[in-house]
Amino acid sequence: MIIGVLNGPNLNLLGTREPAIYGSTTLSDIEARLAEVARSLGAEVRCAQANGEGQLIDRLHAWREEVAGVVVNAGAYTHTSLALRDAFSATALPFVEVHLSNIHAREPERHRSLLAPVAIGMVTGLGAYGYEVALQGLVRWIRHRAPGASAP
Ligand code: CA2
């Protein structure tokens, strides 16, 4: 099983600024760890990061036939992008949303996720470890869902 790991705007800078909020782990560290966790689950990951909304949508379209599901941190597009939500719906890719920080404990404009209504679930506030939880939950969901079930 191949799982896509998609990171949005500014997450390429992880580990370089604002460690109090986002930690000191780099995106490469996270991706390397997810490759290990995936292997232990009998799966593999494809990782991508983009700063543009359209680039993220194009990546999902390209992954449509390639991956079984997606772990996504859409960064600030989480709170603004109906287009990204539509891309998840259009591709019918099951996904788990992850945030390093607890978005509900931050400014009000970060409390709402436009992706959440069509996600399997969300992991928020566990830092880099949250990506592992999201990957494990997604693989489990894909393996155990009823045959033929579609993403929510
Ligand atoms: O907590 C998260 O993972 C967020 O998705 C991160 C986004 C933020 O807009 C969301 O509300 C919550 C921001 C990512 C910015 O990444 C940085 C990386 C290094 C230094 C500063 C920001």
Side-chain angles (χ1 to χ4, degrees):
M1 179 194 305
I2 302 175
I3 299 294
V5 177
L6 189 59
N7 278 283
N10 300 308
L11 288 158
N12 53 314
L13 299 179
L14 270 186
T16 65
R17 305 276 306 272
E18 300 193 65
I21 301 176
Y22 299 118
S24 51
T25 309
T26 67
L27 186 56
S28 300
D29 294 335
I30 291 172
E31 291 175 346
R33 177 66 190 143
L34 289 177
E36 280 177 22
V37 173
R39 207 171 313 122
S40 77
L41 295 169
E44 56 182 289
V45 286
R46 297 270 189 282
C47 298
Q49 186 275 333
N51 291 314
E53 192 175 13
Q55 292 170 292
L56 293 167
I57 292 166
D58 286 343
R59 174 45 51 196
L60 287 180
H61 291 180
W63 273 347
R64 194 161 55 99
E65 304 295 340
E66 196 183 342
V67 305
V70 177
V71 170
V72 61
N73 184 346
Y77 292 136
T78 301
H79 317 297
T80 61
S81 182
L82 265 182
L84 196 52
R85 174 162 98 194
D86 287 346
F88 276 109
S89 296
T91 57
L93 283 168
F95 70 99
V96 174
E97 176 178 352
V98 55
H99 298 287
L100 294 147
S101 61
N102 177 357
I103 59 172
H104 302 291
R106 299 186 64 192
E107 308 95 306
E109 58 271 29
R110 295 188 200 272
H111 293 183
R112 188 172 66 143
S113 165
L114 296 187
L115 305 182
V118 294
I120 303 293
M122 181 196 289
V123 181
T124 186
L126 298 187
Y129 177 63
Y131 284 84
E132 294 181 36
V133 176
L135 177 60
Q136 285 167 345
L138 178 61
V139 167
R140 185 183 171 88
W141 186 92
I142 291 167
R143 288 198 171 134
H144 295 290
R145 67 180 167 177
S150 57

